[in-house]
């Protein structure tokens, strides 16, 4: 007998996913690029984040200049290892990646430094990314993205998205 999985937010049963319940909701999103020691606004959009029994799923659309960036992100938690995983699907480019994560001081930190799909820029340099999710207040969350050219030995700030609850 088949049954459909619930996407009701109250059905999140994983203890690890309950720690990130603050991410669930409807949000307006502002995107900033780190340049010359300052965060400069480069885009805005919307995000819808829902929870199911074992996953939290984000659908986000950002307008960055003249470009639409659409992403689907799925977050899972392994109650035994206390580890998190995130699958990112870039609906704009067709790229996908898997990040491994852990909770540190109430911040959820993901990294793809051991991924085989780390992208290269126009010069052929390969980057890996670190994503730091945290709750700023009852109304705001953020994710700060750092990037590294040396497989995570050193990081520089890259992008920041601030989510404001609708």
């Amino acid at each position: 007998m088949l049954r459909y999985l619930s996407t009701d937010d109250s059905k999140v049963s994983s203890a690890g996913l309950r720690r990130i319940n603050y991410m669930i909701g409807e949000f307006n999103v502002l995107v900033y690029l780190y340049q010359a020691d300052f965060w400069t606004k480069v885009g805005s959009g919307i995000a819808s984040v829902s929870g199911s029994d074992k996953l939290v799923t984000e659908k986000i659309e950002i307008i960055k200049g003249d470009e639409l960036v659409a992403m689907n992100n799925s977050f899972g938690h392994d109650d035994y290892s206390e580890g998190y995983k995130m699958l990112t699907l870039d609906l704009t480019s067709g790229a996908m990646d898997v990040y491994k994560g852990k909770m540190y001081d109430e911040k959820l930190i993901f990294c793809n430094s051991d991924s085989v799909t780390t992208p290269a820029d126009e010069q052929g340099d390969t980057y890996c990314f670190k994503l730091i999710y945290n709750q700023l207040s009852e109304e705001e969350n953020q994710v700060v993205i750092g990037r590294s050219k040396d497989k995570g030995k050193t990081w520089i700030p890259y992008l920041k998205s601030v989510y404001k609850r609708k």
Side-chain angles (χ1 to χ4, degrees):
M1 173 186 200
L2 293 174
R3 70 179 179 94
Y4 292 98
L5 294 176
S6 169
T7 56
D8 179 353
D9 297 345
S10 64
K11 300 287 185 184
V12 173
S13 66
S14 166
L17 293 180
R18 282 194 301 269
R19 290 182 74 184
I20 61 171
N21 262 348
Y22 69 86
M23 293 171 62
I24 295 174
E26 302 293 321
F27 298 91
N28 291 312
V29 182
L30 296 176
V31 180
Y32 301 87
L33 178 66
Y34 193 75
Q35 295 178 321
D37 296 329
F38 293 101
W39 291 106
T40 305
K41 183 181 168 198
V42 293
S44 63
I46 57 172
S48 177
V49 185
S50 61
S52 67
D53 187 36
K54 299 289 182 184
L55 293 173
V56 170
T57 304
E58 173 186 39
K59 294 179 181 182
I60 184 167
E61 291 184 351
I62 301 292
I63 302 291
K64 213 172 124 186
D66 294 335
E67 177 185 11
L68 170 67
V69 179
M71 303 277 298
N72 283 357
N73 300 312
S74 295
F75 303 84
H77 180 262
D78 181 348
D79 288 332
Y80 300 107
S81 71
E82 290 301 311
Y84 291 81
K85 284 193 178 173
M86 179 176 66
L87 171 66
T88 65
L89 301 172
D90 185 332
L91 303 174
T92 310
S93 70
M96 69 172 88
D97 206 350
V98 176
Y99 291 74
K100 292 180 182 176
K102 288 276 189 187
M103 188 69 77
Y104 297 100
D105 297 325
E106 298 307 310
K107 294 179 181 177
L108 180 55
I109 302 175
F110 286 103
C111 185
N112 72 340
S113 60
D114 59 353
S115 175
V116 296
T117 61
T118 52
D121 66 9
E122 298 83 28
Q123 290 80 30
D125 293 324
T126 302
Y127 288 97
C128 60
F129 295 93
K130 180 192 298 188
L131 292 78
I132 303 170
Y133 287 82
N134 67 305
Q135 184 175 23
L136 300 175
S137 70
E138 290 295 319
E139 299 301 316
E140 287 187 325
N141 310 320
Q142 75 175 359
V143 57
V144 177
I145 302 172
R147 68 180 181 178
S148 173
K149 280 186 174 181
D150 56 12
K151 289 286 192 187
K153 292 179 185 131
T154 58
W155 294 96
I156 59 169
Y158 178 54
L159 288 172
K160 174 171 69 170
S161 297
V162 177
Y163 294 64
K164 183 160 178 112
R165 198 170 298 281
K166 289 184 178 182

